[in-house]
């Protein structure tokens, strides 16, 4: 399952390029989004139309394309990608990549890639055995983010039989799938609260806030993709996580509902992330009938305190449980976040501020700073909520 994963498929000019469309189809069938960066020579072996149709995206092949559409594609593709797969990688392209040469769409894209790169070489057996080629493969393999797949043995396009065949698309796909969904949280149980709560005033009104649930849903999805058994306690929102077998959603409305649902799952949870924007107060006596204007120009609504879920869980936390909270602030951000970190007995707090553009409520991005109990502070730049979720889980 590669839902939501972004894969750049690089194609260079070898006869094995005829198999690349099958790889693209496997990736897309598994739910990945695919963009293609191809050398000019690759397009002699497989047509641009085929690659475009199967990937569902324009093919990036000309760094000087007059359309201007792709003028910065070699930079934007690496920002977009979770993985790059170069299949086939010819001896020429391997030589360039090993030595930092970037003179076409594929090699410039590779040089800007920081995410994992899988390389599936393909060539004649004599070329494959050449010391220069083998040296280039070693150089590439030494790059922390690069994995060079082996070549297979068998019938080669030149008529010879030997080692140099590109692995089959299914084998390359399996290697990619394994890397993309590294099961680093396998066997872990993760409890996440997300979204707003609604506190009833009368049958037509409630107290709530602007939380969309996006940040918490991104955390739940990422934890599930990493193999955890996830319980997402979700306040009222139109947003839903994707259907994943190991992601269970518990819908709640009020802070008390959220508290009760969290308390139920808490004893079994290894990691608890409290991302919900919980109403601190609720109406003391919600009206049974709609409250009418009473002819006065003001009215007093009596509120009572809601349970503080984070503080309750913090007080009961076992030493083998990790409790992570969020702090949404509008002023004195660091001071307030650090107070919450210690008062609620959290192991880490994720600060986001409404003063920062592109952060916190509603939007698809966030700007956060992580503080932990060891005194570490990690400031992250503006990034998508999915990427923030990844960074938080990496940190944990
Ligand atoms: O949902 P989005 O639109 O994507 O927006 C994301 C977000 C802004 C809601 C999220 O990033 C965030 O900051 N969530 C916490 C919001 C909040 O209520 O912060 P707080 O500083 O008031 O609370 C501190 C911590 O205590 C939080 O972990 C909160 O979940 C928890 N809390 C607060 C009150 C309460 N009664 N019970 C709690 O558990």
């Amino acid at each position: 399952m590669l839902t939501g994963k972004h894969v750049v498929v690089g194609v260079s000019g070898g006869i094995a390029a005829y198999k690349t469309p099958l790889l693209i189809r496997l990736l897309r069938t598994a739910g990945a989004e695919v963009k293609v960066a191809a050398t000019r020579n690759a397009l002699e072996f497989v047509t641009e139309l085929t690659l475009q149709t199967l990937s569902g995206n324009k093919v990036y092949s000309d760094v000087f394309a007059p359309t201007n559409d792709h003028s910065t594609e070699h930079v934007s593709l690496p920002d977009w990608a979770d993985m790059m797969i170069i299949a086939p990688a010819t001896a020429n392209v391997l030589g360039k990549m090993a030595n930092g040469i970037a003179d076409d769409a594929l090699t410039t894209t590779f040089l800007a890639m920081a995410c994992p790169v899988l390389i599936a070489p393909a060539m004649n057996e004599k070329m494959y055995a050449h010391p220069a080629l083998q040296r280039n493969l070693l150089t590439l393999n030494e790059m922390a983010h690069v994995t060079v797949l082996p070549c297979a043995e068998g019938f080669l396009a030149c008529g010879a039989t030997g080692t140099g065949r590109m692995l089959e698309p299914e084998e390359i796909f399996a290697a990619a799938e394994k890397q993309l969904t590294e099961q680093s949280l396998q066997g872990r149980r993760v409890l996440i609260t997300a979204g707003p709560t609604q506190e009833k005033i009368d049958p037509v009104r409630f107290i709530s806030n602007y939380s969309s649930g996006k940040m918490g849903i991104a955390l739940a999805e990422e934890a599930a993709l990493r193999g955890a058994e996830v319980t997402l306690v979700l306040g009222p929102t139109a947003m839903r996580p994707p259907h994943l077998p190991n992601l269970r959603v518990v819908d709640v409305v009020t802070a008390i509902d959220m508290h009760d649902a969290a308390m139920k799952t808490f004893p079994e949870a290894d990691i608890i992330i409290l991302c919900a924007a919980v109403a601190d107060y609720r109406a003391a006596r919600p009206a049974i009938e709609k409250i009418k204007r009473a002819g006065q120009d003001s009215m007093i609504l009596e509120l009572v305190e809601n349970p503080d879920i984070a503080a309750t869980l913090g007080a009961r936390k076992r030493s083998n449980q990790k409790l992570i909270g969020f702090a949404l602030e509008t002023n004195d951000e660091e001071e307030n976040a650090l107070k919450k970190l210690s008062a609620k007995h959290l192991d880490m707090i994720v600060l986001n501020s409404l003063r920062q553009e592109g952060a916190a409520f509603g939007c698809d991005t966030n700007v956060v700073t992580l503080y932990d109990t060891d005194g570490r502070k990690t400031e992250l730049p503006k990034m998508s909520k999915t990427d923030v979720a990844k960074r938080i889980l990496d940190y944990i």
Side-chain angles (χ1 to χ4, degrees), residues 166-183:
M166 186 174 85
L167 291 185
E168 292 304 319
E170 290 78 6
E171 294 171 295
I172 301 169
F173 171 76
E177 192 180 34
K178 189 151 174 269
Q179 263 207 21
L180 270 172
T181 50
E182 195 205 334
Q183 303 291 287

Side-chain angles (χ1 to χ4, degrees), residues 211-213 215 274-276 280 307 309-310 326 340 344 352 362 385:
S211 172
S212 63
M215 186 66 248
L274 304 170
C275 185
D280 284 319
I309 305 166
F326 272 69
K340 287 174 185 171
K344 299 185 189 225
N352 44 191
K385 284 184 173 163

Side-chain angles (χ1 to χ4, degrees), residues 44-67:
E44 299 289 332
F45 291 94
V46 57
T47 73
E48 189 166 349
L49 184 63
T50 305
L51 296 170
Q52 180 174 311
T53 306
L54 288 175
S55 68
N57 282 300
K58 280 187 197 167
V59 174
Y60 174 48
S61 62
D62 183 358
V63 266
F64 302 112
T67 60

Side-chain angles (χ1 to χ4, degrees), residues 327-363:
L328 172 61
E329 303 297 337
T330 56
N331 59 287
D332 302 325
E333 286 85 347
E334 182 165 278
E335 194 188 327
N336 288 329
L338 290 174
K339 266 191 210 156
K340 287 174 185 171
L341 176 68
S342 96
K344 299 185 189 225
H345 301 289
L346 306 170
D347 294 294
M348 182 171 103
I349 195 151
V350 181
L351 166 67
N352 44 191
S353 171
L354 276 183
R355 284 203 286 188
Q356 206 117 29
E357 186 261 321
F361 283 137
C363 49

